[in-house]
Amino acid sequence: MFRIRHRDGEETVPPAQVTSICLHPASLISYEAVAIAVEHDIDILFTGRDGFPFARIWSHRFGSVSTIRKHQLAFAQSDEAVRWVKDILLRKLDNQLALVHLIASQSPEAEKAAAAAVSFLEKQKDKLCTENQLSKNEAFAFFRSVEGAAGRAYFGFISSTLPHQYRFERRSKHPAHDMFNAMLNYAYGMLYGKVEAALIKAGIDPCIGVMHRDEYNRPVLVYDFIEQFRHWADFTVYSLCSQQVMFREFFKVEGDAWFLDTYAKRILIQAFNDYLEELVEMNGLSRSRHVHIGLEAARLATLLKNFNEP
């Protein structure tokens, strides 16, 4: 059993009920707790103020055969990898469009604002679908430009439909410059940790990227793989802002940098974890969103295992 001590008391939790342990500043963990976590394949993440993990503890073995990682290097340099990235970005655009339509259905004002965003996102999707003649490096540069343009239109629409206190001028990452971006960055950090864990458990090396490459000792494949799931974080943060359950006093502001305080973290962590545990149907299977991340990682592992270098 894990024994957890906090300011409200103490409790015990069996390992079977734990999927990950996230350590924030001032957290302490014992040798025994680490050993139990490793034995039961439970992730231990060390997270910063923005929610992103900067270190993790896992067992000395990957989750599957070494053939996957041997083929992964060849795959990352292949034309098939370009098609894989393109497919993920198309799914990302589809998910963004779905969220825009969902928000638009909530009020006549949002519906009016959605028309331009939908039109622009559809055009970016068409660009991705029709462009097949570029070299690999040219393709990735093109993908980034399409992704960036789509993101500006998408987040511009989201901001315009939020209650006024949560609206923002643009996406700000490190650091965030407002409440919405501080929350979104933290949710992305949580999602990042789950995606990296899924890749490792599937036997994939998260440091061998495809579109995101050449960053020494960084788990760049996570940045490729995570794109198809970001809308889950977007929806969670948008919902919290729409319900106006986050307040200015829940944040720490240092200069123009915004960080979540204790109450904001509790609300966001609970909301996002609950959302990830909801059952949804994807690829004909009804599973939690958290499980679907693992299934997508397993599909990528199968692709890599069967990949034949040209």
Side-chain angles (χ1 to χ4, degrees), residues 99 103 150-173 175-185 188 234 237-238 241-242 258:
L99 184 52
I103 294 171
R152 287 188 290 274
Y154 170 72
F155 284 111
F157 166 76
I158 286 179
S159 177
S160 71
T161 59
L162 288 170
H164 283 280
Q165 66 269 35
Y166 302 109
R167 294 185 181 181
F168 54 96
E169 291 185 10
R170 59 182 177 82
R171 272 289 288 136
S172 53
K173 300 178 182 179
H177 299 319
D178 51 76
M179 282 193 284
F180 183 90
N181 279 296
M183 294 167 60
L184 191 60
N185 291 346
Y188 282 166
D234 301 342
V237 173
Y238 183 87
C241 292
S242 296
W258 288 63

Side-chain angles (χ1 to χ4, degrees), residues 215-251:
E215 296 183 44
Y216 178 71
N217 261 354
R218 297 296 300 275
V220 286
L221 184 62
V222 182
Y223 293 109
D224 294 327
F225 190 74
I226 199 175
E227 298 299 340
Q228 58 196 308
F229 307 116
R230 285 190 188 272
H231 65 293
W232 291 343
D234 301 342
F235 176 77
T236 301
V237 173
Y238 183 87
S239 297
L240 290 173
C241 292
S242 296
Q243 297 168 45
Q244 302 189 53
V245 298
M246 292 294 206
F247 302 98
R248 169 66 179 77
E249 54 267 31
F250 290 0
F251 295 80

Side-chain angles (χ1 to χ4, degrees), residues 59 268 288:
S59 74
L268 178 56
S288 71

